[in-house]
Amino acid sequence: MVFEFKLPDVGEGLTEAEIVSWLVSEGDTVTEDMPVAEAETDKAVVEIPSPVNGTVREILADAGEMVPVGNVIITFNVEGEDEPPIEAETETEPEKPAEAEKAASNGESSAKGGRVFAAPSARRLARELGVDITTVVGSGPSGRVTDQDVRAAAEGGKDGAQAAAEPTTEPEAEPASDTTESSGAQAAVSMQKPADREKTLAAPATRSLAEELGVDLNAVPEVEKREGQSFVTPEAVREYAAAQTEAKQADVASLAATSKEDERVPYRGIRRTIGKQMERSKYTAPHVTHHDEIDVTDLVAMRSDLKEEAENRGVKLSYMPFVMKAIVAGLKEFPYMNSMLDEEAEEIVLKKDYNIGVAVATDAGLMVPVVKGVDQKGMLQVSQEMNDLVGKARDRSIARSDMQGGTFTITNFGAIGGEYATPIINFPEVAILGLGAIKEKPRVVDGDIVPRHIMTISLSIDHRIIDGAIAAQFANTVKNYLENPALLLLE
Amino acid sequence: MVVGDIATGTDVLVIGAGPGGYVAAIRAGQLGLDVTMVEKNAYGGTCLNYGCIPSKALISATDVAHNAANAEDMGIHADPVVDMQGMVAWKDGVVNQLTGGVEKLMKANGVNLMQGTAEFAGENTVRVAHGGEGQGSESIEFDSCIIATGSRPFEIPGFEFDGEHVLSSREALALDEIPEKLVVVGAGYIGMELSTVFAKLGTDVTIVEMLDDALPGYESDVARVVKKKAEALGIEFHFGEAAKEWRKEADGMTVVTENEDGETSEFNADKTLVAVGRQPVSDTLNLEAVGLEPDEKGFLQTDDQCRTDVGHIYAIGDVAGEPMLAHKASKEGHVAAEVIAGEPSALDYQAIPAAVFTDPEIGTVGMTQAEAEEAGFEPVVGKFPFMASGRALSTGHSDGFVRVVADEESGFILGGQIVGAEASELVAELALAIEMGATLEDLTATIHTHPTLAEAVMEAAANAKGEAIHTLNR
């Protein structure tokens, strides 16, 4: 009897995974629960156990291949009656298409009553690009689906429907940048240097042509002067557009051209997850970053006093638990800092848990283990838990659940170097605090220049939810606790 | 296959050269496919030969006579004499010019033309029986087939078409003399159009309809305008009566009708036109040979690429389901040909406009107010009566109105109903608006030529926004 094993849903919401390596070969004998493959999901590498006792009949996916959940990756010969092949049903897999369909039909689609509000040309484009236009959210007048929305959806793949909701601002033909490396692009630039005027005269037809070609009229080299103003012709616009396109193509070509020394690394797994998450955060939440410095001289003294005692109790005490406690104090005072935006319900959810994530650089990329209930735990317990989680993240033995449920994140960029940075919010949280290194710097205290321990901070906020004033007040609270660490005793 | 019979091979076989089939054949030819067209009767199908074109030709011709004879208000006194044979000859000329054009276009696009009746002999083979004795038959092997066999008029029991007393629409359009008395069975659009033609030619027309009103399928206020005008032309309506039987008389025929209670009435006439609808022609194709089965009404089920359940066989036009409209057939022909050629084509129209060439005309497209509500919209409706249109008054035809249905929140145009002069032309603006996803604002902000009937569309849209200038707002 042949047993077909489908790639199971190894984590919530996962749609595909990369098979990192096979631990068995065809013909091998396997027992139930014996690991047969390693798969890299969006968060971690997991082992995939055999569901049966038997021998490996056929391996159907190559190491390094991305496999959609539900695809058969391996078949086993199993002792038993000669029955038709049975399929290992994964719990979520069969429901998925139905759910997806439902989501599409209930989603913010413009297809009410079978109607799609889009010009026939846009509908044809959707067919050409393989986009289901009923799932595209339109950005045109009254939500009409435009060509651009369809293109955005096609490029964004699954997320396209959402991406299309935001009007694309990128002009189709970007003016070529002067820093372009490729020779083709340079030639184009020198031929067609953008003019960057403030006012340009042109016939209405020329203007509409420019719009059509995505060309800024003020960038088109002038053809002649009329009434003291620069005047351009349709030919000049076309020429300029062609040069831009050429430059762009040269850019693409230079990117695509690889010499033998170049190495290509697949953009996959954790790297891609981080990338997507960052992209989503950056382009969803308008980021504003508030910078400040904190005089932590007293904190440095306090920590060094407590460090030995903590070590006696088996805990390595860093500054991080103090910062986490100070942050919780700030979050309690400014509850919107500890919130998320439920866009669908149009509600801001004020979180009552204080789960603080700590961004950790690992060999595989950025991971954010979360210490839960920081408000209810003592300094040593917080410290102990954080140390454990960070260790697990580094050796990639961390469980997915330990990286979920965060309400606020700290990133310690100073550990490696740097004073200020622009941290990207760990979406859907609304703020992130970046810490610089603690350095001794000269500061003026009571009129004297004295050496002080200074830590710089960079607080990024989602400006949709948090105003700059709140961010500054929150930072002041955190600052107050860290400058006067004895206050933490009250927390 | 007959022994010794060598089949001709073709990429695409199109069965039926009506407005669906010939468009499909030409488009497939344009896309570089080898196309064979099999037609049983005449190129152009029902539309060009026995439907749209001849009926509209006669409607236009009779309008000329009627309008001239009824222009006393304009100070014109005339008593036109209609030479029916001359009128029919002119109509035939129009038809011949068009069908000849279709044949030429097909040839120019490399379509192999074949006269005969096709029936399936296998999944990729049809046999074409050539008309007439000794003409023989031949086999054609195809990769893809487009069934475009169209429809034929329904007969009702006891009223089999005989071409003399009981006429189908096709025969009525070929009459070479004007009947004195005509009974028309059916007050649908074909019955109403032809009744109007004959009434204007001076025929005494009686319409017998089983249902309670004329033009079922159209909103009552739209149908009312047409019925009122028909009555003014002298057409007599008998609703709730079904044609039961007829008998020959010395001076023509007597038609017996029966109502729900079993009471009968008798009408004397020269001829009876039976116009109770059309049925798809799917029974002559030997569909079993390819494993296709039409539904109970005889229609072939297709997807949005005109594909039947058998992947390489397509169906378009009347045989592929309601609405039975030439322009729907043409669109489907276009799509089927492109799909076969591997293009990303599909039927994705938002609405199909329809026109009825009564007096006045009806043009509709998209949703009515009730349909919009049912689809989950909150519709807003704007109306403009032609009585308030300068152009309508100056033509002497001011019956009817334009109604625009839109989504109140977004302003998107959802549908429109027009009854009045040139409604068949005016509806095109609303069809374009729907396809483009235009809003009421788009219609009102578009400058319309003055003085034209098209201004009524703009005014109706303005009315829906509560901004009409030339009528009181709703």
Side-chain angles (χ1 to χ4, degrees), chain A residues 100-330:
Chain A
E101 261 169 47
K102 224 188 287 165
S105 62
N106 293 347
E108 297 217 357
S109 116
S110 52
K112 186 157 47 165
R115 286 294 172 90
V116 178
F117 294 105
S121 52
R123 297 199 294 267
R124 178 162 183 114
L125 181 67
R127 283 198 306 280
E128 280 170 1
L129 298 177
V131 170
D132 176 3
I133 199 166
T134 60
T135 66
V136 178
V137 182
S139 68
S142 304
R144 184 157 41 189
V145 178
T146 64
D147 285 14
Q148 216 165 24
D149 297 333
V150 171
R151 285 209 176 86
E155 280 160 23
K158 285 185 298 250
D159 303 331
Q162 237 132 56
E166 296 152 25
T168 317
T169 47
E170 194 187 2
E172 275 180 27
E174 255 173 276
S177 125
D178 284 275
T179 55
T180 313
E181 300 277 325
S182 100
S183 58
Q186 264 169 354
V189 169
S190 58
M191 262 166 51
Q192 293 274 349
K193 218 160 181 75
D196 288 336
R197 288 178 302 271
E198 280 192 356
K199 197 176 173 192
T200 305
L201 295 181
T206 313
R207 285 185 191 282
S208 66
L209 176 70
E211 204 167 305
E212 208 177 284
L213 298 173
V215 165
D216 176 7
L217 265 193
N218 291 327
V220 177
E222 82 172 36
V223 173
E224 59 185 83
K225 284 248 188 269
R226 285 197 186 174
E227 294 161 24
Q229 298 277 1
S230 300
F231 178 86
V232 300
T233 59
E235 291 70 43
V237 169
R238 273 198 202 95
E239 229 169 79
Y240 182 77
Q244 299 308 330
T245 311
E246 201 181 300
K248 209 174 176 185
Q249 279 166 356
D251 267 358
V252 173
S254 74
L255 198 66
T258 48
S259 72
K260 275 180 189 161
E261 289 87 51
D262 292 348
E263 187 185 345
R264 287 189 160 250
V265 180
Y267 179 52
R268 286 212 184 126
I270 293 168
R271 188 73 262 154
R272 193 170 68 169
T273 306
I274 295 169
K276 286 209 164 169
Q277 174 72 2
M278 292 297 168
E279 180 183 286
R280 182 171 175 220
S281 177
K282 180 79 183 172
Y283 292 112
T284 307
H287 282 55
V288 167
T289 308
H290 172 92
H291 301 288
D292 205 345
E293 63 174 40
I294 303 178
D295 183 337
V296 290
T297 310
D298 291 350
L299 177 64
V300 170
M302 182 190 259
R303 176 189 165 253
S304 82
D305 289 348
L306 294 173
K307 202 175 162 190
E308 205 175 326
E309 178 56 30
E311 261 167 36
N312 289 340
R313 300 193 196 182
V315 178
K316 192 169 167 280
L317 186 62
S318 66
Y319 292 103
M320 195 58 94
F322 296 93
V323 177
M324 290 165 92
K325 279 290 189 183
I327 283 171
V328 169

Side-chain angles (χ1 to χ4, degrees), chain B residues 158-159 162 164-166 245-256 266-272:
Chain B
F159 284 80
D162 63 6
E164 198 196 336
H165 290 91
V166 182
E245 59 190 24
W246 69 277
R247 53 178 187 271
K248 220 187 268 184
E249 305 287 351
D251 59 341
M253 64 196 293
T254 295
V255 176
V256 183
E266 295 193 351
F267 302 95
N268 183 249
D270 300 327
K271 294 177 189 301
T272 297

Side-chain angles (χ1 to χ4, degrees), chain B residues 90-227:
Chain B
W90 169 77
K91 172 214 73 173
D92 288 344
V94 171
V95 168
N96 290 338
Q97 188 177 339
L98 286 168
T99 54
V102 166
E103 186 175 351
K104 270 188 213 139
L105 282 170
M106 285 199 285
K107 281 181 179 163
N109 282 286
V111 177
N112 312 306
L113 300 178
M114 197 174 277
Q115 208 74 39
T117 307
E119 68 169 61
F120 288 98
E123 276 203 8
N124 291 86
T125 315
V126 296
R127 276 207 79 70
V128 177
H130 298 299
E133 202 148 314
Q135 297 292 310
S137 66
E138 64 185 288
S139 296
I140 302 170
E141 272 184 12
F142 57 84
D143 291 339
S144 305
C145 175
I146 299 175
I147 301 173
T149 43
S151 62
R152 64 168 86 88
F154 258 122
E155 280 183 335
I156 43 179
F159 284 80
E160 285 73 31
F161 301 127
D162 63 6
E164 198 196 336
H165 290 91
V166 182
L167 312 177
S168 67
S169 54
R170 174 177 169 173
E171 291 147 347
L173 289 168
L175 287 179
D176 54 8
E177 58 184 60
I178 304 166
E180 267 179 47
K181 281 184 186 173
L182 180 70
V183 167
V184 175
V185 180
Y189 81 92
I190 297 174
M192 290 298 292
E193 284 181 358
L194 291 178
S195 296
T196 309
V197 166
F198 287 105
K200 285 183 176 174
L201 289 170
T203 303
D204 192 354
V205 180
T206 301
I207 297 182
V208 179
E209 167 62 51
M210 220 161 66
L211 301 173
D212 296 335
D213 205 352
L215 294 165
Y218 289 88
E219 289 166 293
S220 57
D221 60 347
V222 172
R224 197 182 309 129
V225 175
V226 175
K227 196 175 112 193

Side-chain angles (χ1 to χ4, degrees), chain B residues 271-313:
Chain B
K271 294 177 189 301
T272 297
L273 163 66
V274 178
V276 292
R278 300 178 66 84
Q279 64 182 131
V281 179
S282 56
D283 49 356
T284 59
L285 285 162
N286 189 31
L287 289 169
E288 304 81 53
V290 276
L292 270 179
E293 202 182 329
D295 69 11
E296 57 200 17
K297 288 180 172 168
F299 291 116
L300 288 167
Q301 301 300 309
T302 53
D303 64 13
D304 68 347
Q305 291 193 313
C306 304
R307 229 183 267 270
T308 65
D309 292 339
V310 177
H312 64 294
I313 297 187

Side-chain angles (χ1 to χ4, degrees), chain A residues 119-120 123-124 127 133, chain B residues 304 331 335 346-351 435:
Chain A
R123 297 199 294 267
R124 178 162 183 114
R127 283 198 306 280
I133 199 166
Chain B
D304 68 347
K331 183 76 205 165
V335 168
L347 297 171
D348 72 343
Y349 44 72
Q350 304 298 296
E435 291 297 337

